[in-house]
Amino acid sequence: MTGVSSVTAIGPVAGVLVGGGSRRMGRDKALIDVGGETLLERTLRVAKSSAGQCSLVGDAPFSLPSSVRHVRRVPDAANAAGPIAGLLGMLNAFPGSPVLLLACDMPNLGAALLETLVRAARTETIVAVSDAIVPLTIEVGRERTHPCCAVYLPTAKTHVESAVDAGRFRMMSLLDALRVHRVNVAGEDAAQLLNWNTPLDLPGGGAMPSE
């Protein structure tokens, strides 16, 4: 089995980021209730429908809900900060496996979008020329990529390590160094990538959650 074939056969493992400080929200975003479950519980549920294995990534600054305490924990890379630390932690923990990296602040995230990303990660012609598979939306005529709802292939690891070693922790800068296969997400589907960052984003002040 070739390297590309082995990657497409394995399929992604999911890593849900839990180490953020939620400073702009003023409280832990992961614990906000969405239809009777926390954002963290909802994200894990959706991720499990598309990935064979799910992990919580980073040192959560809050007490985990009892329903997720059995989920494997993966530490952030010690010499990095922010989502890139979680990404490198996952690539270290699961060598040779694609990583589906997910923030846990997207209340509208659905399985169909993740399945589209996973399907691309199982397509040899895409994997052969890519390091990452990332959603792309158009907002007010401006393209936006979403690095915290994306699949990173094993070939991305050396670039992630180089960025971390150089102290470059911004995910958008990392994408500039990667061969990125962009998945266009338009119309109502783009709402799945909306995230909650401040109290104004919560129901009554912004996006409403849906399945």
Side-chain angles (χ1 to χ4, degrees), residues 61-187:
F62 52 86
S63 179
L64 291 171
S66 59
S67 62
V68 306
R69 290 175 188 164
H70 66 285
V71 178
R72 175 172 173 169
R73 305 290 299 279
V74 171
D76 285 337
N79 55 338
I84 197 171
L87 173 57
L88 184 53
M90 283 293 292
L91 291 169
N92 286 334
F94 298 95
S97 294
V99 170
L100 173 61
L101 190 72
L102 295 171
C104 65
D105 61 358
M106 296 176 284
N108 302 317
L109 184 65
L113 173 59
L114 299 189
E115 285 291 344
T116 299
L117 300 178
V118 169
R119 192 178 310 117
R122 289 184 176 275
T123 303
E124 290 193 10
T125 54
I126 293 174
V127 170
V129 296
S130 305
D131 302 310
I133 298 161
V134 185
L136 172 72
T137 55
I138 307 294
E139 299 176 8
V140 196
R142 179 166 169 260
E143 291 186 349
R144 181 185 176 193
T145 50
H146 300 266
C148 290
C149 180
V151 176
Y152 294 86
L153 301 168
T155 53
K157 186 179 179 183
T158 56
H159 300 284
V160 177
E161 291 172 332
S162 295
V164 168
D165 289 344
R168 299 191 301 269
F169 299 155
R170 293 184 64 251
M171 293 295 287
M172 297 305 290
S173 296
L174 172 64
L175 293 186
D176 289 338
L178 300 179
R179 298 173 300 167
V180 176
H181 176 80
R182 291 172 173 82
V183 175
N184 291 320
V185 182

